[in-house]
Amino acid sequence: IGFQIGGATGHGLTYRYYGNRIGVQASALPIFMQNNEYIMSAGLTGMYKIAESNRIDLVAYLGNHFVTRNPEIIIDEDQPTQPNTSTILQQQVLLELLIGNAEVYQRQSYNMSIGIGGVLHSKSRFFNFNFFMGYGIYSLNREPLSALTSTVGITFKLN
């Protein structure tokens, strides 16, 4: 069990299970705000140990990350998104809705990545520092954007 931050593997509380060489990791981070607003990050990553030693394991991975937020405000499709954070912005969005220049919807994004990484073990193997680097595709279900991606995390061994 641990915590990680990764653009194409997920953010939040993490659970990892390893067999001999194949592993799976699940991550989730719900953030609840006022007025029924929320952001949810959920990731599922498959891993394969390429090589292992006493201190570090070399790992290949395939990461999947689903993010949703409610609501996300779009003032204009050609402008960047603006989250609903203030009364003035809410009034501006209401005005834009009334004149037909805005759209309010739940935005959902699916990201994925592939790459290699390492699991650095402590001497006691009680905790591990994890780092992955790879190639990711963001917003695969909407407007795909590809870029290099990274993940960092820490996990604690239960048994």
Side-chain angles (χ1 to χ4, degrees):
I1 291 183
F3 189 83
Q4 81 166 12
I5 298 173
T9 56
H11 312 307
L13 186 61
T14 301
Y15 175 79
R16 178 184 297 161
Y17 172 79
Y18 255 115
N20 285 336
R21 290 216 174 264
I22 296 175
V24 66
Q25 177 173 291
S27 301
L29 179 65
I31 299 174
F32 300 99
M33 299 170 280
Q34 299 174 350
N35 301 325
N36 294 327
E37 295 177 23
Y38 65 85
I39 299 171
M40 177 64 187
S41 167
L44 185 63
T45 303
M47 296 172 288
Y48 180 78
K49 280 186 198 176
I50 298 170
E52 57 185 313
S53 71
N54 289 337
R55 297 289 288 166
I56 192 165
D57 296 340
L58 181 62
V59 177
Y61 78 94
L62 174 64
N64 298 277
H65 183 205
F66 178 75
V67 181
T68 187
R69 72 181 294 154
N70 179 38
E72 183 165 305
I73 307 302
I74 307 297
I75 301 300
D76 183 346
E77 287 294 331
D78 296 329
Q79 295 179 0
T81 59
Q82 298 179 10
N84 186 359
T85 57
S86 70
T87 305
I88 293 171
L89 180 59
Q90 289 173 5
Q91 292 170 359
Q92 177 186 0
V93 168
L94 181 58
L95 176 63
E96 293 289 327
L97 282 169
L98 291 174
I99 61 174
N101 291 335
E103 180 182 357
V104 179
Y105 62 97
Q106 267 190 333
R107 183 169 182 131
Q108 298 175 346
S109 179
Y110 173 68
N111 311 322
M112 66 184 305
S113 65
I114 189 166
I116 61 171
V119 178
L120 180 62
H121 304 289
S122 66
K123 280 190 175 186
S124 65
R125 289 192 168 242
F126 174 68
F127 71 91
N128 304 309
F129 176 70
N130 315 294
F131 52 93
F132 301 128
M133 296 288 295
Y135 181 74
I137 301 175
Y138 298 88
S139 294
L140 191 63
N141 61 322
R142 297 183 56 85
E143 299 164 0
L145 168 71
S146 61
L148 295 178
T149 185
S150 64
T151 299
V152 294
I154 188 167
T155 54
F156 300 91
K157 195 170 185 178
L158 295 179
N159 56 3

